Amino acid sequence: MKLKHETPMLDELESGPWPSFVSDIKDEAAKRAKNEKNVEYQIPTDVCDDLLGILELSFKHGRTHWKHGGIVGVFGYGGGVIGRYCDQPQNFPGVAHFHTMRVSQPGGKYYNTDFLKQLCDLWDLRGSGVTNMHGSTGDIILLGTTTPQLEEIFYELTHNMNQDLGGSGSNLRTPADCLGQSRCEYACYDTQHLCYTLTQEYQDELHRPAFPYKFKFKFDGCPNGCVASIARSDMSFIGTWRDDIRIDQEAVQAYIGGEIAPNGGAHAGRDWGPFDIQKEVIDLCPTECMWMDGKELKIDNKECVRCMHCIDAMPRALRIGQDTGLSILVGAKAPILDGAQMGTMLVPFIKAEEPYDEIKEVIESIWDWWMEEGKNRERLGELMKRQGLQRMLEMTNQKPDPRMVKEPRHNPYIFWKEEEVEGGFERDVNEFRKHHQR
Amino acid sequence: MEYEEARQRIFDTLTKKQKSKSKFYFSDLAKILEIKPRDAKKLINKMVEDGTLEYWSSGSTSMYGLKGTGKQAHTEHED
């Protein structure tokens, strides 16, 4: 089918062996032109043609023709809609408005096909049909619609699909979680329940922007970190345990004897030879806290740093402890310009039990500090660097703990204050000189 | 602070600044009201609700402006 605009440069992006978004958008353009389902399109039918056209023009000029940002939104919400307009509306009327809508993803990203069909039908009717499942935000991203459609889509989502818009702008962003205890035996707490509870509790923070900048929560059920909260969220909740790793010595022997496939049977496409517990598990322990004592596997649990390798390699022999909870790390960010930063330990262990009051206390103390002292467009991680970890510990009523030290002798952020030192910082120089020459 | 007093203070201060800028960070508004951000939020939300203020968002950052002011509304055909 002939497209509305010639796109020689975009066509190059279809020539590789990998899937191409250009082919996908071309398919959608052809589908909309044919309209076999007789959809009464509420935005220009040629939106996808013009999307390709303006992208080709941007490639030709080496600069963008989008203007992003604006006052568009749905009533009462300060986030969830990101305005976008093109600066060539005469040549590309289909994308004169091309707003993005962020829709909260379901907990653990569990969908049913009915919901997905409803979502696609809605977006075919009232949007471009182009989606992004799931952006790095984690949300369902619906790309390209016009201003008059926003309220219509919002009504449909909230009234008929029981779904809310997600966060954007200086808001709490849509909280994201792993599937947690619903499917995973490593999960140390119910990620979906905590994620849902906090999402409900902080609706105001999600929809009405009053933070200095974006703020993200992510929930990992265990230190494997399937949602990478430690790298991507201002406040990261990672499941952990404070007793010992449970060892089933019989199962350890079964792994050694080859009766149970290591790594849950993964990497089975090649013959790696017989399982070698010394080489594949014990020698890879980052703190060298494992050894074989005759036929018994031993672990010095106090040295364990929760790397999860041994548990991942032998899940039937080694299991997480039973006294479970979570660690809270803060200040991670992954911006393009200023450089990424990993989370810093704030609370080494906290129980994750309903109604999660202790966790909410930590969250709110962090917000109070950041809202008062954070500069405009300053992430929590940057405020922590600017004012120091000690200040954060004071503001959140946390006691300094060796587990907060990232590397010894690198970030000595715990300083003595004068009132904490017997005799203060003043000294008698004459007394000192009696014992020390100039 | 009473709502009407806060609204008037925001309206007057933002109107005075219109020549130089039309969009403001949340912290600018909290400073005008001279109250803690958490308390300011409640009042400012109400001002958005009753149409005194409107949100502006770049996608990553949010700002506030007096409703209908600034170039944005006109260029986006929203006025």
Side-chain angles (χ1 to χ4, degrees), chain A residues 68-72 75 77-78 82 85 97 147 168-170 173 204-205 208-210 213-214 364 367-368 371-372 376-377, chain B residues 23 25-28 31 36-38 41 45 48-49 54-64 72-73 75-78:
Chain A
H68 77 104
I71 55 173
V72 291
F75 186 70
Y77 277 35
I82 298 144
Y85 303 85
H97 293 197
T147 305
S168 69
S170 305
R173 300 303 182 81
D204 198 47
E205 281 73 11
R208 283 165 277 279
Y213 202 17
K214 61 181 87 166
E364 285 163 28
W367 282 346
D368 282 340
M371 284 175 81
E372 289 216 12
N376 294 326
R377 294 173 64 84
Chain B
K23 299 286 175 278
Y25 285 108
F26 177 82
S27 63
D28 300 336
K31 267 179 215 143
K36 282 183 171 261
R38 282 279 183 120
K41 184 174 181 181
N45 275 342
V48 173
E49 218 173 280
E54 70 186 357
Y55 296 120
W56 181 93
S57 166
S58 69
S60 67
T61 312
S62 306
M63 297 179 94
Y64 294 76
Q72 192 91 24
T75 57
E76 292 171 6
H77 322 290
E78 314 285 356

Side-chain angles (χ1 to χ4, degrees), chain A residues 388-433:
Chain A
L389 199 94
Q390 188 180 30
R391 173 85 176 138
M392 181 173 70
L393 297 181
E394 282 169 17
M395 298 308 287
T396 52
N397 289 322
Q398 298 295 321
K399 289 209 171 100
D401 184 301
R403 287 168 292 185
M404 294 168 182
V405 180
K406 194 171 157 198
E407 295 144 352
R409 295 159 198 257
H410 177 79
N411 52 344
Y413 47 70
I414 299 168
F415 297 104
W416 292 101
K417 287 185 178 162
E418 188 160 12
E419 61 269 22
E420 294 167 336
V421 180
E422 203 181 328
F425 287 168
E426 292 300 317
R427 63 176 182 180
D428 181 347
V429 177
N430 294 329
E431 182 61 28
F432 179 77
R433 286 287 163 235

Side-chain angles (χ1 to χ4, degrees), chain A residues 282-343:
Chain A
I282 295 173
D283 289 352
L284 297 179
C285 176
T287 53
E288 300 176 2
C289 71
M290 308 179 79
W291 69 97
M292 289 302 288
D293 184 0
K295 286 205 156 190
E296 290 220 328
L297 177 67
K298 299 277 187 189
I299 300 175
D300 183 2
N301 278 278
K302 71 178 191 304
E303 297 295 334
C304 172
V305 292
R306 312 287 187 268
C307 84
M308 295 294 286
H309 176 72
C310 61
I311 296 179
D312 289 337
M314 305 193 296
R316 283 172 67 180
L318 301 175
R319 295 164 70 195
I320 59 168
Q322 287 177 303
D323 187 8
T324 58
L326 55 86
S327 302
I328 303 178
L329 289 88
V330 287
K333 62 197 179 88
I336 300 164
L337 290 178
D338 192 36
Q341 189 172 300
M342 298 283 268

Side-chain angles (χ1 to χ4, degrees), chain A residues 141-202:
Chain A
I141 308 280
L142 303 177
L143 289 163
T145 192
T146 59
T147 305
Q149 293 304 313
L150 297 170
E151 288 288 356
E152 306 281 347
I153 294 162
F154 181 59
Y155 183 93
E156 186 68 22
L157 283 169
T158 48
H159 289 71
N160 299 328
M161 295 171 69
N162 197 21
Q163 196 70 356
D164 198 4
L165 287 187
S168 69
S170 305
N171 272 320
L172 171 64
R173 300 303 182 81
T174 319
D177 56 358
C178 71
L179 41 71
Q181 289 173 336
S182 66
R183 294 279 292 166
C184 180
E185 65 195 68
Y186 301 155
C188 300
Y189 68 99
D190 189 345
T191 51
Q192 290 183 68
H193 191 262
L194 180 58
C195 182
Y196 181 78
T197 307
L198 296 184
T199 304
Q200 295 296 347
E201 176 85 16
Y202 298 123

Side-chain angles (χ1 to χ4, degrees), chain B:
Chain B
M1 183 183 284
E2 289 299 315
Y3 176 64
E4 262 316 308
E5 187 197 343
R7 201 183 76 88
Q8 201 56 45
R9 204 193 278 196
I10 292 280
F11 184 81
D12 292 345
T13 317
L14 265 51
T15 309
K16 254 186 238 163
K17 291 186 177 175
Q18 281 300 308
K19 274 190 186 161
S20 53
K21 59 177 173 177
S22 61
K23 299 286 175 278
F24 301 84
Y25 285 108
F26 177 82
S27 63
D28 300 336
L29 304 185
K31 267 179 215 143
I32 293 169
L33 295 177
E34 296 173 316
I35 51 178
K36 282 183 171 261
R38 282 279 183 120
D39 301 325
K41 184 174 181 181
K42 287 175 202 145
L43 297 170
I44 289 163
N45 275 342
K46 218 171 164 195
M47 290 176 211
V48 173
E49 218 173 280
D50 73 12
T52 306
L53 297 175
E54 70 186 357
Y55 296 120
W56 181 93
S57 166
S58 69
S60 67
T61 312
S62 306
M63 297 179 94
Y64 294 76
L66 287 176
K67 194 171 175 100
T69 59
K71 284 183 195 164
Q72 192 91 24
H74 179 64
T75 57
E76 292 171 6
H77 322 290
E78 314 285 356
D79 51 355

Side-chain angles (χ1 to χ4, degrees), chain A residues 4-75:
Chain A
K4 187 173 160 188
H5 306 282
E6 294 287 322
T7 57
M9 281 191 269
L10 287 183
D11 297 347
E12 287 296 313
L13 296 176
E14 295 182 278
S15 60
W18 43 81
S20 165
F21 73 96
V22 176
S23 309
D24 285 352
I25 298 174
K26 282 183 180 173
D27 284 352
E28 187 63 21
K31 202 183 100 192
R32 286 178 79 90
K34 261 195 197 163
N35 194 10
E36 283 177 346
K37 285 187 188 168
N38 292 319
V39 179
E40 285 182 36
Y41 293 125
Q42 299 296 302
I43 73 164
T45 311
D46 57 357
V47 53
C48 292
D49 294 274
D50 281 350
L51 176 61
L52 291 167
I54 199 160
L55 189 56
E56 178 74 19
L57 188 69
S58 298
F59 278 25
K60 195 170 145 194
H61 290 163
R63 57 183 182 267
T64 185
H65 286 287
W66 292 121
K67 301 183 289 178
H68 77 104
I71 55 173
V72 291
V74 296
F75 186 70

